[in-house]
């Protein structure tokens, strides 16, 4: 019985471990992401492996990074407007930020060659 409970907990941890892959970054990673995102007029935020999350198109107005409270890691913050015109300010996980590359939307984490699993293959960009 203990083995079943342990395996169940391990499986649950594996399922939820996909979240926050590239949200806590080194300063170098955060700087690279900000430089890249400042050139992007529109991005898509979407964690396809998260329950009931739909893609959200954001018109980017501002991008910057902040050091976390421990002073060890950095987070990238995107400010802009969503499709309905509402202001958005989000701490983003680069694995789930999609940018336009040709006719496809690709994970920024993958584009920057960071190790991550965006939970989806590149998809058609329809912005």
């Amino acid at each position: 019985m203990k083995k079943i409970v342990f395996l169940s907990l391990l499986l649950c941890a594996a399922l939820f471990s996909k979240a926050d892959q590239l949200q806590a970054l080194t300063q170098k990673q955060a700087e690279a992401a900000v430089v890249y995102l400042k050139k992007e007029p529109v991005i898509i935020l979407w964690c396809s492996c998260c329950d009931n999350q739909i893609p959200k198109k954001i018109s980017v107005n501002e991008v910057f990074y902040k050091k976390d409270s421990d002073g060890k890691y950095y987070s990238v913050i995107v400010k802009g407007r969503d499709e309905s015109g509402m202001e958005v300010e989000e701490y983003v996980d680069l694995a789930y930020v999609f940018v336009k590359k040709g006719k496809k939307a690709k994970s920024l984490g993958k584009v920057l060659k960071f190790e991550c699993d965006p939970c989806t293959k590149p998809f058609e960009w329809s912005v």
Side-chain angles (χ1 to χ4, degrees):
M1 184 65 171
K2 286 182 183 179
K3 287 182 181 180
I4 292 173
V5 171
F6 178 73
L7 286 173
S8 296
L9 289 173
L10 192 59
L11 180 61
C12 287
L15 289 173
F16 292 110
S17 67
K18 296 226 183 231
D20 301 335
Q21 297 177 69
L22 289 173
Q23 194 161 10
L25 306 165
T26 65
Q27 184 174 0
K28 187 176 178 181
Q29 288 174 314
E31 288 171 350
V34 167
V35 165
Y36 194 98
L37 287 172
K38 282 187 174 186
K39 299 175 189 172
E40 294 298 309
V42 177
I43 60 172
I44 296 172
L45 303 179
W46 183 41
C47 174
S48 66
C49 53
C50 300
D51 289 339
N52 301 320
Q53 194 176 81
I54 58 171
K56 185 170 24 174
K57 293 178 190 171
I58 305 293
S59 296
V60 179
N61 294 333
E62 184 180 357
V63 182
F64 56 96
Y65 65 88
K66 278 186 178 178
K67 194 181 279 192
D68 71 4
S69 59
D70 293 340
K72 287 181 160 182
Y73 297 103
Y74 295 80
S75 295
V76 173
I77 298 98
V78 173
K79 287 185 173 184
R81 294 199 178 271
D82 66 14
E83 290 180 285
S84 64
M86 297 292 295
E87 286 189 25
V88 173
E89 180 175 337
E90 292 211 23
Y91 284 73
V92 296
D93 184 323
L94 303 183
Y96 310 123
V97 174
F98 292 86
V99 295
K100 186 176 182 183
K101 295 292 287 177
K103 295 182 178 185
K104 298 280 186 180
K106 294 187 177 181
S107 163
L108 181 58
K110 289 289 190 183
V111 169
L112 295 175
K113 298 185 179 2
F114 299 153
E115 189 176 326
C116 65
D117 178 7
C119 300
T120 188
K121 292 180 179 178
F123 53 91
E124 290 297 315
W125 184 272
S126 60
V127 177

